[in-house]
Amino acid sequence: MKVTIVEREATPWVGFHLIGPWDETAPEGFARLSEWVTQHNLTGEWMAIYHSNPNDAAASQRAIDTVISVNADYQPAGEGAPQKGELAGGKYAVARVVVDDGDFAKPWLTLFQQWLPGSSWQVDKRPCFDHYLNDGAQSGVWDIDLYIPVKK
């Protein structure tokens, strides 16, 4: 797994905050987001922001934001509108992966269990996130950049 360290600017987003097992909340959140994006003709980076450590939080208590990046001045409005937030900037370890078997956890485990211990980096307190490079809903093949916030 090839990992690079990047400096990322803070990114404003709109999206939906859900609590529960990620294999249920991520699809639900992206379905709601897709409907909003279609209705409002938005474009941007599609991301899942993870606020829980699966080693510390029961599946029923895990938090996720399913979001799309927007201009800083964008204000969602109306019934069912998503919330607005900002993904923190800073240094991130990034790995590009392909998920073609539906197991989205496997590349994260590889990153945390194989790459991180041998690196000179430590996990920072900002959330980890996925950046979806394509919509694999039809093909079952997802190209994803995984981001871990890091510090020395």
Side-chain angles (χ1 to χ4, degrees):
M1 174 176 285
K2 181 181 177 198
V3 178
T4 57
I5 305 300
V6 300
E7 184 76 28
R8 189 172 164 101
E9 296 292 320
T11 305
W13 56 259
V14 295
F16 296 96
H17 183 76
L18 296 102
I19 306 280
W22 289 333
D23 61 339
E24 296 172 13
T25 55
E28 176 188 340
F30 280 121
R32 290 173 61 191
L33 184 62
S34 181
E35 185 176 322
W36 179 266
V37 165
T38 300
Q39 290 173 354
H40 298 273
N41 199 29
L42 295 177
T43 59
E45 295 176 297
W46 289 72
M47 298 176 280
I49 304 170
Y50 303 98
H51 297 281
S52 305
N53 180 333
N55 294 326
D56 300 334
S60 63
Q61 299 301 309
R62 294 180 188 160
I64 186 173
D65 294 321
T66 54
V67 308
I68 187 169
S69 63
V70 294
N71 292 328
D73 60 350
Y74 181 79
Q75 294 299 324
E79 188 173 331
Q83 67 184 43
K84 187 170 182 183
E86 184 175 82
L87 181 64
K91 287 196 184 331
Y92 288 88
V94 183
R96 181 156 294 172
V97 300
V98 174
V99 174
D100 59 7
D101 60 1
D103 189 350
F104 291 87
K106 184 172 29 177
W108 279 110
L109 291 172
T110 300
L111 195 54
F112 274 99
Q113 294 173 354
Q114 293 179 15
W115 175 80
L116 187 62
S119 77
S120 61
W121 296 93
Q122 297 176 2
V123 178
D124 200 357
K125 294 188 186 237
R126 296 166 285 138
C128 295
F129 70 97
D130 299 326
H131 172 205
Y132 294 85
L133 304 172
N134 71 313
D135 180 357
Q138 298 299 319
S139 68
V141 179
W142 303 85
D143 297 307
I144 306 169
D145 284 342
L146 308 179
Y147 284 79
I148 297 177
V150 291
K151 64 183 180 180
K152 283 286 185 177

